[in-house]
Amino acid sequence: MDSQKCIWMKAGAVDYQLCPLNQNCDLCDFHKEMIRGCRTHSPQSEAAEFTLRSPDESVVQFQPGLQYLSGHFWYQKVASGRIRLGIDVFLWQLFSSMHKMITPKTKTVLVQDQCFSWLLLKGGIIYLKTPIAGQITQVNPLFQSDVIQGSQLHLSKENELWIVELEVEDLKDGNGLSKEQYLYHVKSDRQKFQKLIRSDEPDENISFSRIFHLNKDEGSKYLQAISNNHAFVC
């Protein structure tokens, strides 16, 4: 029997667990239990919190050639019927404590809103759901390393931070945000983060490192709200 390792085993959340469902996590009872937090190998105090970095609007740019979507995702056409899908610098700042990424194998067919990437952060796993259906043709080699320096990613060119390349059908043009719409979302979601950490003080007066330890429930609700339910934490 050729069983794959469960993504939770790959993530280091459990010592041993095989996947009998070919990575169809939405059908897996064990996966649902892990999402609900019924199983953990961390002390309760650590399991209840995870780490996010306060986003800085000044480093967020509207890069020509990228189609920005609601929820801080973007895609870039690279060939006929083929795109690269990624998340923006706003999210990469939040996820600066990421040290590893797990993605499905190439040739995996993704339906819209299916998980296509798992980001291992200090204290939790970020689930990313694809806003676009397609078949994975390539995974960015940048994220295939065993150890990733997430704190530096937001300083890279955004088009280099694509996560997967997809073969797609019937992708409609004109579904991206304008520059004004995108920057409005950035400003609004930055303000929501300030409310989340319950402070009206400037960042430099709160934390020099801009790093905050947040309650998982509140943090996940925030991520779901700003990502149109395409990102959440477990």
Side-chain angles (χ1 to χ4, degrees):
M1 181 177 178
D2 185 19
S3 296
Q4 303 178 46
K5 292 181 180 179
C6 169
I7 66 108
W8 293 96
M9 182 178 176
K10 293 179 181 178
V14 295
D15 293 330
Y16 185 80
Q17 181 72 25
L18 296 181
C19 173
L21 299 174
N22 194 30
Q23 304 294 311
N24 291 313
C25 298
D26 292 339
L27 302 178
C28 177
D29 290 337
F30 175 77
H31 178 75
K32 292 174 183 176
E33 288 183 15
M34 292 297 289
I35 291 177
R36 288 197 299 267
C38 294
R39 301 186 183 184
T40 177
H41 291 259
S42 301
Q44 186 61 33
S45 59
E46 293 182 8
E49 292 186 343
F50 73 115
T51 301
L52 291 182
R53 182 182 190 272
S54 176
D56 181 358
E57 288 180 62
S58 67
V59 302
V60 178
Q61 304 291 329
F62 185 88
Q63 184 172 328
L66 303 184
Q67 297 293 314
Y68 291 89
L69 305 173
S70 296
H72 298 282
F73 285 72
W74 57 261
Y75 71 87
Q76 180 182 35
K77 290 185 177 180
V78 292
S80 178
R82 187 167 295 184
I83 65 168
R84 286 178 173 175
L85 179 67
I87 57 177
D88 70 357
V89 166
F90 186 91
L91 289 186
W92 283 125
Q93 289 184 86
L94 290 173
F95 304 154
S96 65
S97 68
M98 183 185 79
H99 57 86
K100 187 175 178 58
M101 180 185 291
I102 299 171
T103 57
K105 294 182 178 180
T106 56
K107 297 185 179 181
T108 298
V109 176
L110 301 174
V111 299
Q112 187 171 338
D113 300 330
Q114 179 179 341
C115 284
F116 76 101
S117 184
W118 297 265
L119 283 57
L120 279 62
L121 273 65
K122 186 175 181 180
I125 298 177
I126 302 294
Y127 284 58
L128 298 181
K129 294 184 177 182
T130 177
I132 300 173
Q135 184 179 50
I136 298 176
T137 57
Q138 188 179 175
V139 176
N140 192 338
L142 178 66
F143 299 122
Q144 295 182 316
S145 173
D146 287 337
V147 179
I148 299 172
Q149 298 298 325
S151 61
Q152 302 299 315
L153 288 175
H154 70 279
L155 301 176
S156 303
K157 292 182 179 179
E158 201 159 40
N159 65 336
E160 296 177 354
L161 297 177
W162 58 277
I163 299 175
V164 293
E165 188 171 285
L166 297 176
E167 190 173 275
V168 297
E169 296 181 1
D170 301 326
L171 184 65
K172 297 180 180 179
D173 292 326
N175 59 347
L177 300 175
S178 67
K179 181 177 180 179
E180 293 74 19
Q181 290 173 324
Y182 173 67
L183 295 180
Y184 172 81
H185 282 297
V186 168
K187 183 177 183 65
S188 175
D189 294 340
R190 171 70 169 78
Q191 292 172 345
K192 291 175 184 175
F193 188 86
Q194 286 299 99
K195 292 180 180 179
L196 182 67
I197 59 177
R198 296 185 176 90
S199 177
D200 295 325
E201 294 289 331
D203 279 357
E204 59 267 25
N205 294 339
I206 305 172
S207 169
F208 180 76
S209 66
R210 304 171 65 92
I211 301 298
F212 296 89
H213 303 284
L214 302 175
N215 175 277
K216 279 189 177 180
D217 289 338
E218 291 183 353
S220 191
K221 288 178 182 177
Y222 170 74
L223 289 178
Q224 287 177 286
I226 69 169
S227 69
N228 287 349
N229 291 316
H230 285 93
F232 62 97
V233 65
C234 179

